[in-house]
Amino acid sequence: MICLLDVLSESDMKDWVNITHDHICAVRGSSVVMPCSFTLPAGQTVTKVFWLIDPQKGKVSSDLISKNSYKGRVQYFWNNDNNCTLKLSKLNKKDKAKYHARIETNKGEQNWQSKPAVQLTVTGKCPISHYFSHLRAVAQHLPLPLL
């Protein structure tokens, strides 16, 4: 079960990266989707999209996929489009953190990291009303399967 606590309607970084939620509550053992989209200035090409946790200013943070505790649980929905959505599976209490999207471009000095973070809380249960709000937001960012 996935729960939404607050919705951000604003985008950051001069409207280049849009993080839909600032706080998501999820149940241990479940999966969570963190919707994200971006629009880059003209003349730039995205070379990599990934997520990181609790970045420290002045330090290089690594992609979640490269961390042992996240191996096999991370899925990115970027496919040379403007989708930077993250899906994290098999949640556990240690996944509680602030998550940031990072967009790298062909112009090395112009790489972008989302300033609004998604604060993930992993608990035993979340209010059902937040679950439905989150599903609506996720549906706007992920392609629906053909029936």
Side-chain angles (χ1 to χ4, degrees):
M1 181 183 292
I2 303 166
C3 309
L4 165 71
L5 296 179
D6 293 310
V7 176
L8 285 178
S9 59
E10 66 192 43
S11 53
D12 200 72
M13 293 174 25
K14 301 179 184 176
D15 298 321
W16 294 329
V17 178
N18 183 25
I19 299 291
T20 309
H21 304 82
D22 69 346
H23 195 166
I24 296 176
C25 171
V27 176
R28 281 187 306 271
S30 69
S31 296
V32 67
V33 175
M34 299 180 197
C36 172
S37 60
F38 62 90
T39 305
L40 293 179
Q44 293 188 25
T45 303
V46 174
T47 57
K48 185 175 181 181
V49 172
F50 62 97
W51 285 70
L52 39 95
I53 56 170
D54 299 324
Q56 303 296 314
K57 189 170 185 163
K59 293 185 179 179
V60 177
S61 297
S62 58
D63 187 339
L64 285 180
I65 288 177
S66 69
K67 296 183 179 287
N68 286 332
S69 61
Y70 287 89
K71 285 204 187 280
R73 302 188 306 124
V74 174
Q75 181 180 0
Y76 298 138
F77 289 92
W78 177 65
N79 189 20
N80 294 318
D81 58 11
N82 67 341
N83 189 353
C84 49
T85 298
L86 162 68
K87 179 180 178 185
L88 183 57
S89 303
K90 301 175 188 170
L91 294 172
N92 61 68
K93 284 242 182 201
K94 292 180 182 177
D95 293 329
K96 178 183 176 182
K98 289 185 178 181
Y99 291 78
H100 295 260
R102 181 159 172 88
I103 315 308
E104 294 189 351
T105 71
N106 59 328
K107 299 188 179 189
E109 70 282 354
Q110 294 187 6
N111 295 322
W112 313 109
Q113 182 173 297
S114 62
K115 290 202 181 192
V118 178
Q119 175 65 57
L120 176 62
T121 303
V122 181
T123 67
K125 64 180 181 177
C126 297
I128 194 73
S129 61
H130 298 301
Y131 173 71
F132 291 111
S133 296
H134 183 73
L135 286 178
R136 281 193 299 276
V138 168
Q140 294 174 353
H141 282 82
L142 298 180
L144 296 175
L146 297 174
L147 301 178

